[in-house]
mmCIF file of all heavy atoms in Angstrom:
data_model
loop_
_atom_site.group_PDB
_atom_site.id
_atom_site.type_symbol
_atom_site.label_atom_id
_atom_site.label_comp_id
_atom_site.label_asym_id
_atom_site.label_seq_id
_atom_site.Cartn_x
_atom_site.Cartn_y
_atom_site.Cartn_z
ATOM 1 N N ASN Q 266 -14.115 6.750 13.751
ATOM 2 C CA ASN Q 266 -14.524 6.911 12.348
ATOM 3 C C ASN Q 266 -15.951 6.608 12.262
ATOM 4 O O ASN Q 266 -16.453 5.594 12.809
ATOM 5 C CB ASN Q 266 -13.714 6.042 11.450
ATOM 6 C CG ASN Q 266 -12.216 6.389 11.413
ATOM 7 O OD1 ASN Q 266 -11.876 7.540 11.697
ATOM 8 N ND2 ASN Q 266 -11.426 5.448 11.053
ATOM 9 N N VAL Q 267 -16.748 7.399 11.507
ATOM 10 C CA VAL Q 267 -18.145 7.193 11.348
ATOM 11 C C VAL Q 267 -18.459 7.059 9.825
ATOM 12 O O VAL Q 267 -18.148 8.011 9.080
ATOM 13 C CB VAL Q 267 -18.999 8.367 11.940
ATOM 14 C CG1 VAL Q 267 -20.488 8.114 11.717
ATOM 15 C CG2 VAL Q 267 -18.688 8.522 13.402
ATOM 16 N N ALA Q 268 -18.977 5.931 9.452
ATOM 17 C CA ALA Q 268 -19.364 5.690 8.070
ATOM 18 C C ALA Q 268 -20.623 6.480 7.723
ATOM 19 O O ALA Q 268 -21.740 6.024 8.103
ATOM 20 C CB ALA Q 268 -19.529 4.210 7.772
ATOM 21 N N VAL Q 269 -20.476 7.585 7.037
ATOM 22 C CA VAL Q 269 -21.656 8.412 6.635
ATOM 23 C C VAL Q 269 -22.361 7.787 5.512
ATOM 24 O O VAL Q 269 -23.617 7.620 5.511
ATOM 25 C CB VAL Q 269 -21.177 9.831 6.293
ATOM 26 C CG1 VAL Q 269 -22.377 10.690 5.884
ATOM 27 C CG2 VAL Q 269 -20.448 10.438 7.484
ATOM 28 N N THR Q 270 -21.636 7.392 4.439
ATOM 29 C CA THR Q 270 -22.179 6.600 3.343
ATOM 30 C C THR Q 270 -21.223 5.475 3.032
ATOM 31 O O THR Q 270 -20.237 5.318 3.729
ATOM 32 C CB THR Q 270 -22.393 7.473 2.069
ATOM 33 O OG1 THR Q 270 -21.072 7.887 1.623
ATOM 34 C CG2 THR Q 270 -23.174 8.757 2.468
ATOM 35 N N LYS Q 271 -21.469 4.775 1.980
ATOM 36 C CA LYS Q 271 -20.598 3.650 1.625
ATOM 37 C C LYS Q 271 -19.223 4.142 1.229
ATOM 38 O O LYS Q 271 -18.226 3.436 1.488
ATOM 39 C CB LYS Q 271 -21.204 2.872 0.442
ATOM 40 C CG LYS Q 271 -20.494 1.621 0.077
ATOM 41 C CD LYS Q 271 -21.178 0.828 -1.053
ATOM 42 C CE LYS Q 271 -20.389 -0.408 -1.377
ATOM 43 N NZ LYS Q 271 -21.139 -1.199 -2.453
ATOM 44 N N ARG Q 272 -19.148 5.361 0.671
ATOM 45 C CA ARG Q 272 -17.858 5.883 0.234
ATOM 46 C C ARG Q 272 -17.269 6.968 1.114
ATOM 47 O O ARG Q 272 -16.113 7.308 1.023
ATOM 48 C CB ARG Q 272 -17.988 6.390 -1.221
ATOM 49 C CG ARG Q 272 -18.254 5.318 -2.227
ATOM 50 C CD ARG Q 272 -18.339 5.942 -3.643
ATOM 51 N NE ARG Q 272 -18.540 4.903 -4.633
ATOM 52 C CZ ARG Q 272 -17.554 4.261 -5.271
ATOM 53 N NH1 ARG Q 272 -16.309 4.541 -4.959
ATOM 54 N NH2 ARG Q 272 -17.853 3.353 -6.193
ATOM 55 N N LEU Q 273 -18.107 7.567 1.983
ATOM 56 C CA LEU Q 273 -17.698 8.712 2.782
ATOM 57 C C LEU Q 273 -17.605 8.349 4.247
ATOM 58 O O LEU Q 273 -18.578 7.822 4.814
ATOM 59 C CB LEU Q 273 -18.610 9.885 2.618
ATOM 60 C CG LEU Q 273 -18.410 11.093 3.437
ATOM 61 C CD1 LEU Q 273 -17.024 11.762 3.121
ATOM 62 C CD2 LEU Q 273 -19.520 12.113 3.279
ATOM 63 N N THR Q 274 -16.504 8.667 4.905
ATOM 64 C CA THR Q 274 -16.310 8.405 6.347
ATOM 65 C C THR Q 274 -15.805 9.644 7.004
ATOM 66 O O THR Q 274 -14.881 10.365 6.522
ATOM 67 C CB THR Q 274 -15.281 7.289 6.593
ATOM 68 O OG1 THR Q 274 -15.679 6.105 5.934
ATOM 69 C CG2 THR Q 274 -15.055 7.046 8.045
ATOM 70 N N ALA Q 275 -16.468 10.047 8.088
ATOM 71 C CA ALA Q 275 -16.008 11.192 8.919
ATOM 72 C C ALA Q 275 -15.070 10.703 10.002
ATOM 73 O O ALA Q 275 -15.258 9.572 10.450
ATOM 74 C CB ALA Q 275 -17.212 11.908 9.482
ATOM 75 N N ALA Q 276 -14.104 11.510 10.367
ATOM 76 C CA ALA Q 276 -13.126 11.101 11.335
ATOM 77 C C ALA Q 276 -12.868 12.171 12.363
ATOM 78 O O ALA Q 276 -12.864 13.346 12.053
ATOM 79 C CB ALA Q 276 -11.814 10.700 10.605
ATOM 80 N N PHE Q 277 -12.707 11.711 13.632
ATOM 81 C CA PHE Q 277 -12.309 12.638 14.721
ATOM 82 C C PHE Q 277 -11.282 11.932 15.546
ATOM 83 O O PHE Q 277 -11.391 10.749 15.897
ATOM 84 C CB PHE Q 277 -13.479 12.975 15.606
ATOM 85 C CG PHE Q 277 -13.098 13.754 16.866
ATOM 86 C CD1 PHE Q 277 -12.813 15.064 16.828
ATOM 87 C CD2 PHE Q 277 -12.908 13.063 18.068
ATOM 88 C CE1 PHE Q 277 -12.402 15.768 17.931
ATOM 89 C CE2 PHE Q 277 -12.565 13.718 19.242
ATOM 90 C CZ PHE Q 277 -12.233 15.102 19.149
ATOM 91 N N ASP Q 278 -10.125 12.676 15.875
ATOM 92 C CA ASP Q 278 -9.117 12.080 16.696
ATOM 93 C C ASP Q 278 -8.618 13.136 17.655
ATOM 94 O O ASP Q 278 -8.560 14.322 17.366
ATOM 95 C CB ASP Q 278 -7.920 11.632 15.780
ATOM 96 C CG ASP Q 278 -8.296 10.372 15.035
ATOM 97 O OD1 ASP Q 278 -8.252 9.283 15.596
ATOM 98 O OD2 ASP Q 278 -8.571 10.487 13.773
ATOM 99 N N LEU Q 279 -8.179 12.612 18.810
ATOM 100 C CA LEU Q 279 -7.535 13.420 19.810
ATOM 101 C C LEU Q 279 -6.126 12.919 19.978
ATOM 102 O O LEU Q 279 -5.879 11.761 20.280
ATOM 103 C CB LEU Q 279 -8.296 13.332 21.154
ATOM 104 C CG LEU Q 279 -7.815 14.172 22.288
ATOM 105 C CD1 LEU Q 279 -8.187 15.647 21.990
ATOM 106 C CD2 LEU Q 279 -8.439 13.763 23.635
ATOM 107 N N TYR Q 280 -5.185 13.823 19.730
ATOM 108 C CA TYR Q 280 -3.763 13.515 19.818
ATOM 109 C C TYR Q 280 -3.151 14.140 21.053
ATOM 110 O O TYR Q 280 -3.258 15.381 21.214
ATOM 111 C CB TYR Q 280 -2.999 13.966 18.555
ATOM 112 C CG TYR Q 280 -3.388 13.251 17.309
ATOM 113 C CD1 TYR Q 280 -4.360 13.733 16.507
ATOM 114 C CD2 TYR Q 280 -2.688 12.118 16.904
ATOM 115 C CE1 TYR Q 280 -4.745 13.115 15.288
ATOM 116 C CE2 TYR Q 280 -3.059 11.451 15.707
ATOM 117 C CZ TYR Q 280 -4.053 11.957 14.941
ATOM 118 O OH TYR Q 280 -4.409 11.297 13.775
#
Side-chain angles (χ1 to χ4, degrees):
N266 293 337
V267 180
V269 180
T270 67
K271 186 176 180 180
R272 293 182 178 271
L273 175 64
T274 301
F277 171 81
D278 288 282
L279 186 71
Y280 294 90

